[in-house]
Amino acid sequence: MEQIAISNRLAELEDELRKLKAAGDNQQSTAALEKAKKLLDAERKRASDLASKVVRLEAMIKQRDKEIKTATTRKLQAIDDMDRMKVEIRGLEQRIKDLDALLATEKESRSADLQRFDGDLKDLQAASDAAHAALKEYQEGESARSDEVRKAFLR
């Protein structure tokens, strides 16, 4: 917008310069012509400065656009990574729940097995104690019979 205004101003000054040149060579027109030339040169310098400033600003804008695009890409990648992690976490949480339930079931099963094994152990110990008592009784009875057989043999 500003460039258009500057271009229009330069065109006006150039037209004024042409008019003054066409008007003639009197002293007043020469002074006005010099003044117009100075104004024109000043406006050209200002236009040149503004044009270089516009070029610098456009380059800065392109650089910022690239930085924004890069940052946006990184941000979107991070969001995608977070979404993948959330899905993975949900799966892991479900797996933990399943394993906890399996562990609780296993504990209950082992507890029942442990009680059954305790009962079996007590039964086997009772049977062992009974067999041991029977063996002791047999050994005691055997020694008495052995003594009787010896006595009978020796007679």
Side-chain angles (χ1 to χ4, degrees):
M1 188 70 145
E2 197 170 308
Q3 275 186 315
I4 295 171
I6 291 171
S7 296
N8 289 341
R9 177 72 177 138
L10 285 174
E12 288 173 10
L13 289 172
E14 287 175 356
D15 285 344
E16 189 177 326
L17 185 60
R18 277 188 227 120
K19 286 178 188 175
L20 289 172
K21 282 183 181 179
D25 274 338
N26 66 26
Q27 181 112 14
Q28 202 175 25
S29 64
T30 305
L33 182 62
E34 288 299 320
K35 183 180 176 185
K37 279 184 182 180
K38 286 180 183 178
L39 284 173
L40 182 60
D41 287 340
E43 286 295 323
R44 282 184 182 156
K45 183 177 180 338
R46 185 171 176 249
S48 174
D49 291 345
L50 287 175
S52 64
K53 188 175 183 179
V54 166
V55 168
R56 279 194 321 266
L57 290 173
E58 285 175 348
M60 286 174 62
I61 288 171
K62 285 180 184 177
Q63 179 64 28
R64 295 295 186 247
D65 284 345
K66 286 179 185 178
E67 290 172 1
I68 289 171
K69 185 177 180 183
T70 302
T72 302
T73 302
R74 286 181 184 164
K75 175 185 162 189
L76 293 175
Q77 182 64 38
I79 290 171
D80 288 344
D81 290 345
M82 287 175 58
D83 289 342
R84 279 192 298 264
M85 285 182 204
K86 285 178 185 177
V87 169
E88 186 177 336
I89 287 171
R90 280 189 221 119
L92 291 173
E93 287 173 345
Q94 184 60 44
R95 182 165 164 92
I96 288 171
K97 286 178 185 177
D98 294 345
L99 289 174
D100 281 343
L102 183 63
L103 181 61
T105 303
E106 187 66 26
K107 281 182 181 178
E108 289 174 12
S109 172
R110 287 186 182 209
S111 176
D113 287 345
L114 184 60
Q115 289 174 354
R116 185 174 49 89
F117 291 150
D118 275 347
D120 291 348
L121 179 62
K122 287 178 183 175
D123 292 344
L124 290 172
Q125 282 178 341
S128 172
D129 289 344
H132 192 57
L135 178 63
K136 192 172 188 177
E137 188 178 309
Y138 173 76
Q139 286 174 342
E140 288 173 3
E142 185 62 31
S143 90
R145 275 186 251 143
S146 170
D147 286 340
E148 281 180 27
V149 168
R150 251 188 247 158
K151 285 181 188 177
F153 182 69
L154 290 175
R155 290 189 198 170

